[in-house]
Amino acid sequence: MSDLDFIHRWVPGSSTRTLLLLHGTGGDEKDLLELGRDIDADAGLLSPRGKVLENGAPRFFRRLAEGVFDEEDVVVRAHQLAQFIIAATDAYKIDLNNLVAVGYSNGANIAAAMMLLGVAKFNKAILFRAMVPLSKIDIPDLKTVRVLISAGQFDPIARVPIAERLAQLFESGGAQVTFKMQASGHELTANDVEAAREWLMR
Ligand code: MLT
C-alpha cells in the first residue's frame, strides 16, 4: 500500500485538471493555493509540503549551499514525492493525464528532477525560476512532455544561463519547451501567472 505521507492540501476542482503545487524554500502546502487558483479557477489543487527542513524552512530536497544541491538526496526525494503522487491520485481520483505540476524555485527543481529521472507521474509542468537539479543524468524519452520555463531576467539564484541549460536538457529528450523571460528577479510577477494561463490553454 502506498501512503499519503506528505503533509498536504487537496482542494477539489470543477474540471478534470489538477495542478500539483510545489512551493519554494520556506513555503508550505498553503503557499501556492492562491497562485494555483489564479492560474486555473477550475482545477483541483494538490499541494504537498516538502519534508526537508533547512533551519526550519521546508524544502523538497537538501542543499549544501545556495544553488549547490545534495544530488543523492534529490534522487531519493524525487522518488518519494512520485510515490506520494501515485497515492494521492488514487485517494482523490485524480486524472493523471490531466495532472500539471506547477513549481516555484525549489518546487520547480524537484518537479524537473522527477521528470528528468523519468519518475514523474505528470507530463506537463510549469516551472517558475527553475534550475538544473542534477548534474549527471541519462535523459529519458520526454517526447510526451510539455514544459513551460518562466525565468527572471535579473534572478541572482536561478540565473538565466541555468534556466536555459534546463530547457536544453528537456529538449534533448524530445520535450516541447516554452521558454519565457520575465523582467524580474527570483520573485513571481503577474506576467508569470499570465504566461502560465496562456500556456495551459494551448
Ligand atoms: C531556493 O531558494 O529554493 C533555491 O534557490 C532553489 C533550490 O534550492 O532548489
Side-chain angles (χ1 to χ4, degrees):
M1 202 189 87
S2 43
D3 302 318
L4 282 172
D5 57 355
F6 277 70
I7 294 170
H8 66 282
R9 279 288 182 94
W10 163 244
V11 183
S14 57
S15 78
T16 55
R17 182 185 286 148
T18 297
L19 303 183
L20 170 69
L21 303 173
L22 301 168
H23 63 77
T25 301
D28 66 18
E29 69 281 7
K30 299 186 284 300
D31 226 40
L32 299 186
L33 293 175
E34 206 178 306
L35 174 75
R37 265 292 155 265
D38 285 348
I39 292 174
D40 185 333
D42 303 316
L45 305 175
L46 176 66
S47 187
R49 183 196 299 182
K51 287 185 182 183
V52 171
L53 284 181
E54 184 185 273
N55 302 319
R59 288 176 52 84
F60 286 97
F61 57 81
R62 263 167 43 88
R63 66 178 164 184
L64 307 173
E66 177 71 64
V68 185
F69 304 145
D70 176 341
E71 297 200 12
E72 271 179 38
D73 195 58
V74 174
V75 172
V76 171
R77 304 283 176 181
H79 281 83
Q80 286 176 355
L81 188 57
Q83 282 300 319
F84 164 78
I85 296 166
I86 294 179
T89 51
D90 192 35
Y92 301 125
K93 308 285 174 265
I94 291 170
D95 177 2
L96 269 180
N97 295 319
N98 247 328
L99 178 62
V100 184
V102 178
Y104 168 63
S105 191
N106 182 242
N109 296 344
I110 194 74
M114 285 189 281
M115 286 188 286
L116 294 173
L117 288 166
V119 300
K121 302 303 164 200
F122 46 84
N123 56 15
K124 291 195 202 80
I126 296 169
L127 306 179
F128 295 118
R129 311 301 183 266
M131 300 164 74
V132 176
L134 293 158
S135 54
K136 288 183 280 308
I137 195 153
D138 292 325
I139 303 290
D141 182 344
L142 298 171
K143 286 192 198 72
T144 59
V145 167
R146 270 184 72 209
V147 191
L148 168 65
I149 296 177
S150 192
Q153 198 179 348
F154 313 111
D155 191 335
I157 300 165
R159 290 182 297 108
V160 170
I162 300 175
E164 284 173 345
R165 172 86 190 112
L166 181 63
Q168 285 163 7
L169 285 176
F170 277 114
E171 276 167 354
S172 70
Q176 208 189 100
V177 180
T178 303
F179 193 94
K180 290 276 179 189
M181 185 88 81
Q182 310 299 347
S184 84
H186 200 58
E187 76 285 359
L188 288 182
T189 65
N191 288 340
D192 284 290
V193 177
E194 198 43 49
R197 273 204 215 112
E198 244 172 55
W199 180 85
L200 259 191
M201 275 188 311
R202 265 189 239 157

